[in-house]
Amino acid sequence: MAGILSNDINLTFPDFTVVSASAGSGKTHTLTMRLLQLLLSGRIPRNRLRNILAMTFTKNAAAEMRRRVLEYLKLIYFGDEVVLSQIADVVKLEKDEIRSKAGELIETILNEYTSFQIQTIDSFISRVFKASGMDFGYSPSIDILLDSRPLLDAAFENFVRELTVKPEKKKLLEQLTAQLAGSFSQSRYIWNPFQKLSEEVTKLYETLGAQAKEVLLPEEDSSCLNKLQEELLKMFSEICVLVRQSGLKTTSNFEKAVEAAEARDIDKLVKLKSVKKPLKTGNNNEEKKAVEKFNSELVPHLEHFYRIRDKFIRSSAEQYYRPSVEAHRLFKESIEQVIRRNNQICLADVNQVLLSYISREIIPQLYIFLGDAIAHYLIDEFQDTSRAQWQVLKPLFEETLSKNGSLFIVGDTKQSIYTFRHADWHIMKQVKETTVFP
């Protein structure tokens, strides 16, 4: 354990540690040893059982960690030299004292098992939500669904009913169907648009629910896109005039760009890279110098062209996906109706509700609801955290570290396996490389 866990005589608090470990069993062992260090130490502040929370990503992994902790404590109590020596390396106590504390800790865990907090991240976030659910206007008895499909299906039926009944919404349904049809090759036919739309809208909802930012509708409408298109063609026309006036030979690729502009094929024009270098290099020094001189004079015009091009590409994407964003907003309203009616909520929605609620100011009150302040957090498989989960948990970690607590993270960015649940290994990379908690 040397180099990973410091002897507790050398620990200072607050303590924020990030450990990269490649083997699954090695990561679990590292976290287990850290947990035992926290529990057995006579020097670490606020290290009672209920002040420590360890989190991982599956119920099986949480159960395995609980089993390991109890197994190690039993081995320590009965004097197993291998485990006892490992613990002695990180806990500044005599071995007999460590054995005695291990025995007391086993008894405490068995008597206060609910305070033995090793659980999944989803379970903890659900616990936080339920502890303060009334502040959001939800019943304390609300069910949190891990399988969101039944609730999303019911919400989609409400959503489509509203689109078909209200004339002002019917256009949106037509746009969504056309967009969906356009995403397939011409040889395919969507036999059941309702089913396919349901899949796409709910998939979008789940994806955005795992993000830490709200999706906003574009401020500009399609008229802005048309204006940018005309400006782009005008700017390219000015570049063409300058190129022709130079009397120098143009590349065949640049002529393709000219053809695209004359045909008003904007999509092709913005994809072509030949606009940057419209002229052939030249066959002799005199021609080469003339080309270099012209290219340098053309730079301001090209910079203007590419600024407009970038705005056009962004605006084009925003307008293309605008129906999807509008559908997402309406779908959220349908889901809220189903949540209130069924007294059920999806885990993704729990994250979003907490994101809009949690702040440093309300955390002390939140801990009152939870029962006690958590002074030490441990997280296994951190590379599988989503953006929404991280933003929900981060204020809790900040609060703990501001009061001389600790946060111990273990993971491996190369082993992210929950991408289907929108896990983002970049979070762990950022945590390792930047100052997350100043």
Side-chain angles (χ1 to χ4, degrees):
M1 302 308 294
I4 294 179
L5 296 183
S6 301
N7 189 297
D8 63 31
I9 197 171
N10 298 320
L11 286 174
T12 56
F13 290 87
D15 180 64
F16 174 38
T17 307
V18 182
V19 176
S20 292
S22 57
S25 59
K27 283 184 279 192
T28 305
H29 177 72
T30 301
L31 207 76
T32 302
M33 295 299 288
R34 170 67 172 193
L35 184 53
L36 289 168
Q37 180 187 35
L38 291 170
L39 290 167
L40 293 170
S41 173
R43 297 172 179 271
I44 294 176
R46 293 181 298 157
N47 65 338
R48 290 175 298 176
L49 196 62
R50 63 174 179 268
N51 296 132
I52 300 170
L53 172 66
M55 290 181 280
T56 186
F57 278 82
T58 66
K59 290 182 178 180
N60 288 341
E64 171 63 17
M65 195 180 300
R66 283 193 293 269
R67 186 194 66 78
R68 280 194 179 213
V69 170
L70 285 167
E71 182 183 351
Y72 279 34
L73 286 172
K74 184 176 74 172
L75 291 171
I76 292 167
Y77 178 72
F78 285 111
D80 183 285
E81 279 300 322
V82 175
V83 181
L84 195 53
S85 295
Q86 287 181 334
I87 289 296
D89 285 341
V90 295
V91 176
K92 192 64 176 177
L93 294 171
E94 296 297 327
K95 288 186 177 181
D96 287 343
E97 194 174 355
I98 294 174
R99 289 181 59 191
S100 175
K101 291 198 73 170
E104 293 171 5
L105 191 54
I106 291 172
E107 189 172 345
T108 301
I109 289 173
L110 295 178
N111 289 333
E112 304 173 20
Y113 197 73
T114 55
S115 298
F116 187 31
Q117 301 180 94
I118 299 177
Q119 57 192 137
T120 64
I121 284 186
D122 288 342
S123 296
F124 178 66
I125 289 176
S126 299
R127 178 180 155 201
V128 171
F129 175 80
K130 283 204 167 189
S132 49
M134 291 185 69
D135 287 356
F136 320 131
Y138 296 103
S139 165
S141 63
I142 191 169
D143 290 330
I144 298 175
L145 304 177
L146 295 180
D147 180 9
S148 59
R149 186 56 54 181
L151 190 148
L152 294 179
D153 287 345
F156 187 76
E157 288 184 15
N158 287 355
F159 166 73
V160 171
R161 193 177 301 116
E162 185 174 350
L163 291 187
T164 53
V165 170
K166 296 184 178 180
E168 69 273 16
K169 301 286 175 66
K170 195 173 287 187
K171 183 181 177 183
L172 176 59
L173 181 61
E174 293 170 355
Q175 289 174 328
L176 285 172
T177 307
Q179 193 178 74
L180 185 64
S183 65
F184 291 97
S185 61
Q186 293 181 355
S187 61
R188 293 187 61 184
Y189 181 79
I190 305 174
W191 292 101
N192 187 352
F194 180 90
Q195 182 62 35
K196 194 62 187 172
L197 266 177
S198 175
E199 291 173 6
E200 294 300 317
V201 171
T202 53
K203 188 192 300 181
L204 176 65
Y205 181 79
E206 289 172 339
T207 300
L208 296 180
Q211 310 309 313
K213 294 182 180 180
E214 184 182 355
V215 179
L216 303 176
L217 272 173
E219 295 180 2
E220 299 162 340
D221 57 21
S222 57
S223 63
C224 177
L225 187 64
N226 295 333
K227 182 180 177 182
L228 285 169
Q229 177 174 313
E230 295 304 320
E231 196 175 346
L232 195 65
L233 288 170
K234 180 183 176 184
M235 193 62 221
F236 184 76
S237 176
E238 292 176 7
I239 290 173
C240 283
V241 170
L242 293 172
V243 170
R244 300 300 187 208
Q245 287 176 348
S246 72
L248 299 167
K249 294 179 181 178
T250 59
T251 64
S252 58
N253 286 332
F254 180 76
E255 294 303 328
K256 289 179 182 178
V258 173
E259 290 174 9
E262 289 174 348
R264 299 182 66 84
D265 189 345
I266 298 295
D267 289 338
K268 184 176 180 180
L269 180 62
V270 297
K271 288 177 184 176
L272 291 171
K273 298 178 181 179
S274 53
V275 179
K276 282 186 177 179
K277 293 184 178 180
L279 301 177
K280 291 182 178 180
T281 307
N283 297 320
N284 53 56
N285 289 337
E286 187 177 341
E287 286 183 358
K288 288 178 181 179
K289 287 180 180 179
V291 169
E292 287 177 8
K293 183 175 183 296
F294 177 80
N295 285 340
S296 64
E297 292 172 350
L298 194 63
V299 167
H301 302 277
L302 289 175
E303 287 178 347
H304 188 195
F305 174 83
Y306 280 104
R307 276 197 301 272
I308 300 169
R309 188 203 68 162
D310 291 346
K311 285 182 182 179
F312 173 82
I313 291 172
R314 181 182 178 87
S315 181
S316 179
E318 286 178 346
Q319 293 306 318
Y320 179 81
Y321 288 108
R322 188 185 189 102
S324 297
V325 178
E326 288 181 359
H328 175 257
R329 293 180 71 174
L330 288 172
F331 190 48
K332 281 181 73 174
E333 293 174 11
S334 296
I335 285 177
E336 185 62 27
Q337 292 170 9
V338 175
I339 287 172
R340 301 290 180 183
R341 185 178 68 221
N342 297 357
N343 200 32
Q344 295 175 325
I345 188 169
C346 307
L347 192 59
D349 292 305
V350 166
N351 287 327
Q352 291 301 313
V353 171
L354 288 173
L355 274 173
S356 65
Y357 172 75
I358 285 188
S359 66
R360 286 288 297 276
E361 288 71 29
I362 65 93
I363 288 173
Q365 181 184 356
L366 182 59
Y367 279 136
I368 292 172
F369 293 145
L370 290 172
D372 208 341
I374 296 168
H376 306 283
Y377 288 95
L378 302 92
I379 307 180
D380 194 14
E381 305 292 356
F382 185 71
Q383 75 279 352
D384 289 321
T385 310
S386 73
R387 284 282 165 189
Q389 287 173 329
W390 173 238
Q391 291 302 324
V392 166
L393 294 171
K394 190 179 173 185
L396 299 173
F397 300 155
E398 286 177 334
E399 175 73 7
T400 289
L401 292 171
S402 72
K403 294 182 177 177
N404 288 328
S406 71
L407 171 60
F408 191 83
I409 287 171
V410 181
D412 180 8
T413 55
K414 297 187 291 295
Q415 290 189 352
S416 183
I417 59 173
Y418 285 96
T419 51
F420 65 93
R421 284 187 53 189
H422 313 291
D424 189 349
W425 59 267
H426 293 91
I427 300 169
M428 183 166 182
K429 187 172 185 290
Q430 290 168 359
V431 165
K432 286 175 64 178
E433 296 176 355
T434 61
T435 304
V436 182
F437 305 108

